[in-house]
Amino acid sequence: MAAPRKTKHAHGPSEVRTRPDVLAAADRELRLLGSRLRALREARGMTREAAAEAIGIHPVHVARLETGSSNVTFTTLVAVSMAFGVPLAALVAGTGAAGMQAGTGRAG
């Protein structure tokens, strides 16, 4: 019999992906971010292929990011920021963070 699988965290596996409220909020934020990415790309007159080349990812991944169907890594956000010449904060500003109450972590 195999030994129980150990996690790399002493406190056990994350429960974030088991919380419906978190999953719904993440889905909503990914779609809003995707809309913002598409607007930035189109404002620059770039095709998905040109944006993918500038960012350093596959064009299919650009499409998935723009539709909110793929999770985005921090590294990819940094690459997008550099490729589009916008501050990193501009990519996420106005999604849900703008409505957060200071210090609570909850929408206000």
Side-chain angles (χ1 to χ4, degrees):
M1 179 185 225
R5 184 175 173 197
K6 293 184 179 182
T7 66
K8 58 183 171 180
H9 304 289
H11 55 76
S14 173
E15 296 178 9
V16 171
R17 293 193 182 269
T18 65
R19 296 179 50 193
D21 58 332
V22 172
L23 293 176
D27 183 58
R28 182 177 56 253
E29 297 299 324
L30 279 173
R31 285 185 275 119
L32 289 169
L33 175 62
S35 294
R36 185 166 289 108
L37 295 177
R38 182 173 38 257
L40 285 167
R41 175 181 60 79
E42 289 174 348
R44 285 156 180 72
M46 299 174 83
T47 63
R48 284 183 174 156
E49 291 76 16
E53 180 72 25
I55 298 166
I57 60 177
H58 195 277
V60 171
H61 193 52
V62 172
R64 289 179 181 154
L65 294 176
E66 289 183 353
T67 60
S69 63
S70 180
N71 206 357
V72 62
T73 66
F74 185 76
T75 303
T76 299
L77 283 178
V78 170
V80 169
S81 169
M82 293 172 67
F84 290 163
V86 298
L88 184 60
L91 297 177
V92 293
T95 55
M100 300 297 265
Q101 293 175 352
T104 67
R106 298 186 184 265

